Structures are given as structure tokens and as C-alpha cells.
């Protein structure tokens, strides 16, 4: 009889009701759970849970019943229709009546580089403030004037399905007109160019009225990216004509550019103050934030972007600042829909994306009275900054205030994990070849962040510890005994020409001479090469997690989707990939700008983790503004760079062992080889379309490589002879071959 009951129970479990795939993902993220944590609890693979959340597969007994139970518990904590903001720590939120579960509130935002001083601006929905003047009708609905054509998007294997580039993607009625608008003046009429070709008439006659109109009528904004997060504030991009209309300078003076803002006494700033609007401490600059202090759970804030004040840096946004309004709205709209609404420079946005995906707080479970509180969100960096280890502190940090003046810290005092900048003279055999071919690793630092365990809390100092490759931290260890001419690959030892290889332990590729500080991935790679390590000291972080996984996935999907729109799919054969990549930017220059901005978001976001002082009268030994951020984490940046560099070295070693070919130069994620032909296929060991396992592989996915550029060997030798530099890094110039005297200090 018990067996019969077991079969009945199994039959019932096989039909356990599950929410839709998108809701499964929302519930997991709302509780701060990773795919790995859910997979471990259910004793399945990570890819299995991912398949359940994407709808590609459905769970089967016995996992189905357990999965349904998990989702049911999470649904009680995080109802789908939650719109209530989380209170400040220690304050209560009344529970809902009628027996329904209280809605999970949103968390307080963390002050950030773009607006970290606006800590009083709590999360919640846009308010509907009273217009500042009578020029803003209180009930007028936005009017669509005209629409532009949008491009189509085909199905792309390996890439999440996305809307055609430039179309409206949100279904939230609060933000039905998209995340942003470009405000321009045409024939005397102010118009707002939104994503998807939508154009709205703007009745506001002053900047204060424009802000009111944006919050009351424009229906601009973007839903939050994670359960406990907050909705993105609407973004207004002001053209030069709009600046003139609203009494702002078209360009900044040298003094204003240096200060990063217009004077507080400017008439427009005073006008905002009279209308009870406030600016963050950064003032009215290229990325101004205009807000009113939050009341309860409601938020009133608008972000401005002013391209003619250099808000859109040409190094990352190309010619975006000179685009017509509709085209600029498309470029920024695609970026916003696939990454997030810009919050400042690409670097600032990259950092903000980390926080948006892992907010520092979440709503607690209801207490006995049905009240919820703001509590730490597991997997986040929290609300308060933590001190780094002394070895991780950059020069001038307050932790180093006791050092004597002009003291230069050596490798045994300072963690120095940076990207490669290495080159060597060519051998006689390489000089007999015809070409130098550069290959570049796609989204190298993003790939280095994927799956990387990083510290979430403060470090713990250990003396004479046993090395643990799973424990993030910084390790003082002597790696000078490692011989690159004999390294281990799996269980087998390989014989190589170590003199032609850069050391994986230093950015310049030099062999270490004694004890030095290294991040965990670097020391782990030393062990992987087959050598024993004995750390002298360490600063480790027992509280750790894969904090950057969601960040990587968001940026990866944005990059792949945009490249697919440019005709470069993720599953192309090597020859087809090289052909398709040739001139891909010309197919849609606007989307090419988005690709550039996405890549800049990766590098800039990681760079912000170790932001240095930016003027402000700073003196060595004193704290600077960035140190007040929980996201000021030089250890995380070091770990990502360490893993990226060792990932590249691993591929170089595999390639050398199989082909006998060694790199001539490496700069960050670009590697140069000498070859008889001009194509990467002239030296990459493909067999029947399949690459060397563990080596370089052509493709658009992060971690794979593309063709960076080709020059002749004669060009390389001539350049080095001209500057009398046999180890000049040719990877810096391999793309177009242009070398100037200024590049070499002349």
C-alpha cells in the first residue's frame, strides 16, 4: 500500500503548478539567489535551472515538486504586483489589509559616483508634483507627432531574443514612451524625441516646467532591473537649441569645464531653486540630476544629459553628440534597453549597473505585525564601504598616511595586478616570415568577471596560510621558482621555450624576483602550472560570491544582440566570421556606436572600482570622494584583471605547446604573432573547422577572438629601428600601423 501511495504522490508532484518562466527568474532574483545556489539546493546543474527560467525546458519529478515549493515560498515573500518602496533601516511599513501579503518594498538606493551625495533621494515611483508655472497642463496627454521606421531583427542562436534595435520594449504603462527623450526645438516648437520614433510636443517654457512635465506627463523611465531595486529615473538629453530655449549656455567656458558645472548663481539654477528643485553636490554639469527630497515612498528625479558640454565622450560614444535628435534617441535608447538608462559616463553607468543588479538592501519578511523592514540583500556589497587591505590601497590612501614621504612601495608591499604591456625582439625565424597578425579577445575583462568569486565584505589577515584557490583575497607569496619552460597541462608536463613567453605573474611579463602580492587567480594559475606555493601572508574575504555574474550576463547579452543586429551572429564558421566582421561598423554606424559604448561600460565600470582622486583639493593621506562608496573595491578590480591576464596566458601556452609559435607582443587583450599569411587562420590551428581545445577560437562571444589588424614584418622592424626600441610594443599599433613620435615620447 505504501508503494501505491508513493506512486500517487509522484503522480501529483509531476503536475505541480509552476509560474511562467519569467516569473521564476524574477522570484529568484528578488530573494538574491544565484542560479548556482538554486541548482545546489535542488541537486541539478546550473544550466538546468537556467533552462527552466528561459522556458527551454521544464522540470520533471522529483525536482519539479521541490522547485514548485521553492517558488511558492518566494511568491509569498515577493508578490508580482509589488510597488511599495522599502523604508529606511529601522522604520516600519504597515502591512496590507484583507489578508493579502504585504507588497515587497523597494530598497534604499546606494549613493553612487553619479549622485552619491543625494542619499536622501529614496526609491519609489515618480511623483506628480504641481507644475512650476501655468505653462504645463495638468491633464494633457502626450501627443505623438510622427514615427520613424525601425529595423528588423532576425532570430539569433545563442543570443536572447531582443526587440529590433530602436523600438520600444517596455510594457510598463508608467514608462510607455521609453526610458529617455532628446529635447530639441524645431520651428519654434519644443519637441521630445523618444525611442521607437515617437515624438512628443513639449509645452514647458522653463527648465523647471520641463522637469515637471517629464514627471507628470511624459511617461518616461525604465523598470528596475532586479526585485529589490528601483526604477530608473527619466533621462532628458538637451540639444544646443534646447539649451538656448531654456536659458543655458551652449558650451562651457574653460573655467566651467574645469569645475565641471555652471556657477550656482546662474539664473537657471536659481529658477530651479525657486521651484523647490535641488541639484546634487556635483551641481549643474553635463550629467545634472534634478530632484525633490522624497516624501514617503515616492521619488521625483530627472537626469539631464548635455552632449555639447561633453556628456557623451567621443572616445566611447563616437559621433553620437552630433547626431540629429531622432538618431541620438535611437542610439541612447538601444543602449538603455540593453544595458540600462545612462547615469553618467560609460564608467559611471558600468558601476551603477552592478548596484542596480545587486541592490544593497531588500525588504524583510513581515514581522508579527505584518511590518517589513529594510535589510541587507545577500550577494550585494551592502550599504557601507569597507576598508581595503593595506597592500590593495593605491598610493595616497589614508591607510598609507604613516609612510615616509616619497617612499616607493615594492612588489612585497603593493598589489599590482594590471593588464599586459609586454613585447620582445623577434627571432631570426620570425623575421623570415611576412606578416604580423594581431588578434583581440572580445570583451576580455567581462569574460574574466564571469563566474569569478569576489569578496563581498572586509578582509581578514592571515599569517602563513595554506593557499585556497576558492578564497578571494590578496596573497604575499614567492613565485620566482616557477619555470615557464616546463609547465603542467592537466596531468602532463610540457616543454616550452620559456624565454619567448611573458611571465603570467607581472603586467610587464618580467619574471618575479621574490615575494610579491598577487590576487587569488594569479596564485591559482601558478598551482595549475604544477608548482607548489607557500604564502607568507594573506588578506582573504570569507564573505564572498559571484557578484559580477549578472553584470557580465547583462553586458554580454547587450553586446551579442547588437552585434547580431550588425550581421555578426554567434554561430558563424571561422571564414564567415572574419568576412562578416570586415566593415561591420559601416552597416549601421549608429549601432556601431552602441557596441563601442557597451565595451567602454565594461572597462570603465571595472576602473571605477579603484577610482582615484579627481582634484577637489585632495592631498595624499586624506580620503577622497570615491572612498565613501561601497563599490570602491580595488580588490574586485584586481581579481578581474588577474583572471583576465591568466586566462590569456593559458591560451598562449596551449598554442605554443601545439604549434611552436610564440607571441611577439601583447597589449591588454591584443596578441600579435608572426605568420606567413595576413589572416588569423594562417597561424591558428583549426582542423575541419574546429579550434585547438583550450586555445584561441575565432568568434564574437566574450573570450573568443577576432582579427585586430595585420602589418608586415618589415613594418615592425622599421618602426623598432626608427625609435631604437627592439622591444617596442607593436600590439599598440597593429590595427592601422600608424605610429607617431608623440607615442614614443619624442
Amino acid at each position: 500500500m505504501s508503494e501505491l501511495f508513493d506512486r500517487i504522490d509522484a503522480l501529483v508532484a509531476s503536475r505541480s503548478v509552476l509560474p511562467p518562466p519569467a516569473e521564476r527568474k524574477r522570484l529568484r532574483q528578488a530573494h538574491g539567489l544565484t542560479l548556482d545556489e538554486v541548482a545546489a539546493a535542488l541537486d541539478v546543474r546550473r544550466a538546468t535551472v537556467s533552462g527552466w527560467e528561459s522556458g527551454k525546458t521544464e522540470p520533471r519529478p522529483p525536482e519539479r515538486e521541490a522547485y514548485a515549493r521553492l517558488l511558492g515560498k518566494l511568491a509569498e515573500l515577493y508578490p508580482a504586483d509589488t510597488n511599495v518602496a522599502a523604508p529606511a533601516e529601522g522604520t516600519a511599513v504597515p502591512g496590507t489589509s484583507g489578508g493579502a501579503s504585504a507588497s515587497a518594498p523597494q530598497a534604499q538606493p546606494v549613493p553612487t559616483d553619479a549622485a552619491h551625495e543625494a542619499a536622501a533621494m529614496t526609491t519609489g515611483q515618480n511623483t506628480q508634483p504641481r507644475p512650476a508655472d501655468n505653462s504645463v497642463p495638468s491633464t494633457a496627454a502626450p501627443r505623438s507627432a510622427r514615427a520613424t521606421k525601425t529595423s528588423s531583427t532576425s532570430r539569433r542562436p545563442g543570443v536572447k531574443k531582443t526587440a529590433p534595435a530602436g523600438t520600444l520594449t517596455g510594457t510598463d504603462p508608467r514608462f510607455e514612451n521609453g526610458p529617455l527623450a532628446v529635447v530639441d526645438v524645431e520651428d519654434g516648437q519644443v519637441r521630445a524625441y523618444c525611442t521607437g520614433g515617437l515624438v512628443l510636443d513639449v509645452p514647458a517654457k522653463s527648465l523647471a516646467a520641463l522637469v515637471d512635465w517629464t514627471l507628470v506627463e511624459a511617461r518616461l523611465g525604465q523598470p528596475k532591473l532586479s526585485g529589490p531595486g528601483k526604477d530608473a529615473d527619466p533621462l532628458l538629453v538637451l540639444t544646443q537649441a534646447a539649451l538656448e530655449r531654456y536659458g543655458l549656455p551652449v558650451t562651457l567656458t574653460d573655467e566651467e569645464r574645469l569645475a565641471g558645472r555652471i556657477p550656482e548663481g546662474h539664473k537657471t539654477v536659481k529658477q530651479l531653486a525657486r521651484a523647490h528643485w535641488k541639484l546634487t553636490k556635483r551641481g549643474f554639469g553635463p550629467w545634472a540630476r534634478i530632484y525633490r527630497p522624497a516624501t514617503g515612498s515616492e521619488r521625483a528625479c530627472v537626469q539631464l544629459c548635455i552632449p555639447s558640454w561633453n556628456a557623451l565622450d567621443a572616445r566611447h560614444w563616437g559621433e553620437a553628440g552630433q547626431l540629429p535628435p531622432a538618431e541620438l534617441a535611437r542610439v541612447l535608447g538601444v543602449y538603455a534597453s540593453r544595458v540600462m538608462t545612462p547615469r553618467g559616463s560609460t564608467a559611471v553607468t558600468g558601476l551603477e549597473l552592478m548596484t542596480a543588479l545587486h541592490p544593497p538592501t531588500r525588504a524583510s519578511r513581515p514581522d508579527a505585525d505584518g511590518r517589513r523592514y529594510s535589510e541587507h540583500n545577500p550577494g550585494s556589497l551592502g550599504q557601507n564601504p569597507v576598508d581595503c587591505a593595506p597592500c590593495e590601497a593605491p598610493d595616497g590612501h589614508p591607510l598609507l598616511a604613516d609612510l615616509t614621504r616619497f617612499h616607493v612601495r615594492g612588489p612585497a608591499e603593493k598589489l599590482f595586478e594590471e593588464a599586459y604591456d609586454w613585447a620582445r625582439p623577434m627571432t631570426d625565424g620570425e623575421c623570415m616570415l611576412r606578416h604580423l597578425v594581431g588578434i583581440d579577445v572580445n570583451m576580455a575583462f567581462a569574460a574574466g568577471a564571469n563566474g569569478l568569486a569576489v569578496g563581498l565584505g572586509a578582509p581578514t589577515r592571515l599569517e602563513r596560510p595554506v593557499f585556497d584557490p576558492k578564497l578571494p583575497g590578496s596573497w604575499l607569496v614567492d613565485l620566482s621558482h616557477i619555470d615557464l619552460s616546463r609547465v603542467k597541462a592537466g596531468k602532463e608536463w610540457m616543454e616550452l621555450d620559456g624565454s619567448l613567453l611573458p611571465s603570467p605573474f607581472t603586467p610587464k611579463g618580467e619574471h618575479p624576483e621574490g615575494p610579491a602580492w598577487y590576487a587569488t587567480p594569479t596564485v591559482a594559475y601558478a598551482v595549475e602550472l604544477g608548482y607548489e606555493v607557500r604564502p607568507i601572508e594573506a588578506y582573504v574575504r570569507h564573505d564572498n560570491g559571484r557578484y559580477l555574474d549578472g553584470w557580465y550576463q547583462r553586458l554580454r547579452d547587450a553586446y551579442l544582440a547588437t552585434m547580431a543586429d550588425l550581421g555578426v551572429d554567434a554561430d558563424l564558421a571561422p571564414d564567415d566570421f572574419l568576412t562578416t566582421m570586415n566593415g561591420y561598423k559601416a552597416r549601421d554606424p549608429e549601432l556601431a556606436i552602441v557596441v563601442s559604448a557597451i565595451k567602454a561600460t565594461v572597462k570603465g565600470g571595472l576602473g571605477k572600482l579603484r577610482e582615484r582622486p579627481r582634484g577637489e583639493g585632495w592631498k595624499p593621506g586624506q580620503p577622497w570622494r570615491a572612498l565613501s562608496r561601497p563599490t570602491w573595491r580595488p580588490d574586485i578590480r584586481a581579481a578581474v584583471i588577474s583572471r583576465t591576464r591568466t586566462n590569456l596566458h593559458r591560451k598562449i601556452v596551449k598554442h605554443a605547446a601545439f604549434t611552436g609559435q610564440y607571441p611577439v607582443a601583447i597589449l591588454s587583450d591584443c596578441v600579435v604573432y608572426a605568420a606567413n599569411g595576413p589572416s588569423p587562420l594562417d597561424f591558428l590551428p583549426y582542423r575541419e573547422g574546429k579550434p585547438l581545445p583550450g586555445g584561441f577560437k575565432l568568434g564574437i562571444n566574450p573570450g573568443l577572438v577576432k582579427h585586430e589588424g595585420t602589418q608586415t614584418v618589415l613594418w615592425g622592424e622599421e618602426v623598432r629601428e626608427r625609435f631604437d626600441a627592439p622591444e617596442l610594443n607593436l600590439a599598440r599599433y597593429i590595427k592601422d600601423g600608424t605610429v607617431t613620435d608623440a607615442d614614443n615620447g619624442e
Side-chain angles (χ1 to χ4, degrees), residues 460-469 471-478 517-518 520 523 532-542:
T460 300
R461 182 178 180 273
L462 303 176
E463 293 187 8
R464 299 289 177 182
V466 175
F467 176 67
D468 183 352
L471 195 57
S474 301
W475 308 78
L476 179 61
V477 59
D478 189 349
W517 285 99
Y518 303 100
T520 296
V523 185
E532 183 181 10
V533 297
R534 295 181 179 179
I536 302 168
E537 184 182 357
Y539 287 91
V540 299
R541 289 167 171 83
H542 297 287

Side-chain angles (χ1 to χ4, degrees), residues 376-415:
H376 173 70
N377 185 25
S380 75
L381 298 182
Q383 290 181 291
N384 301 313
V386 297
D387 284 335
C388 60
C391 62
E392 298 163 352
D395 293 338
H397 192 280
L399 288 176
L400 310 176
D402 293 336
L403 290 180
T404 59
R405 193 178 183 187
F406 304 122
H407 174 77
V408 178
R409 293 186 294 162
E413 299 173 279
K414 180 179 180 180
L415 176 69

Side-chain angles (χ1 to χ4, degrees), residues 226-371:
S226 65
K230 64 184 181 69
D231 298 325
D233 298 317
L235 173 66
L236 296 181
V237 185
L238 303 184
T239 66
Q240 294 187 23
L243 292 173
E244 292 179 343
R245 168 60 65 92
Y246 293 119
L248 292 165
V250 172
T251 58
L252 299 178
T253 65
D254 291 341
E255 184 179 352
E256 291 169 343
R257 190 179 301 111
L258 185 63
R261 69 186 79 182
I262 60 176
E264 294 182 4
H266 192 279
K267 62 180 182 179
T268 303
V269 177
K270 290 182 177 180
Q271 176 197 88
L272 290 171
R274 286 195 300 269
H276 306 293
W277 289 107
K278 295 180 178 293
L279 295 165
T280 63
K281 289 184 179 180
R282 289 197 179 275
F284 203 121
W287 288 94
R289 294 185 67 78
I290 303 173
Y291 72 99
R292 281 180 180 148
T295 56
S297 64
E298 294 186 336
R299 176 185 179 91
C301 182
V302 172
Q303 173 109 36
L304 299 185
C305 168
I306 306 178
S308 64
W309 294 6
N310 199 36
L312 300 176
D313 192 324
R315 293 173 298 174
H316 310 138
W317 289 101
E319 301 299 320
Q322 284 71 52
L323 290 175
E327 285 78 359
L328 179 55
R330 179 187 180 227
V331 168
L332 294 177
V334 173
Y335 180 89
S337 66
R338 293 178 176 175
V339 180
M340 70 179 299
T341 303
R343 294 289 304 275
S345 67
T346 50
V348 169
T349 303
L351 196 70
E352 289 286 337
L353 181 61
M354 297 179 194
T355 302
L357 294 169
H358 284 287
T361 60
R362 67 177 184 184
S364 68
R365 298 183 64 176
D367 62 14
D369 298 325
R371 300 184 178 214

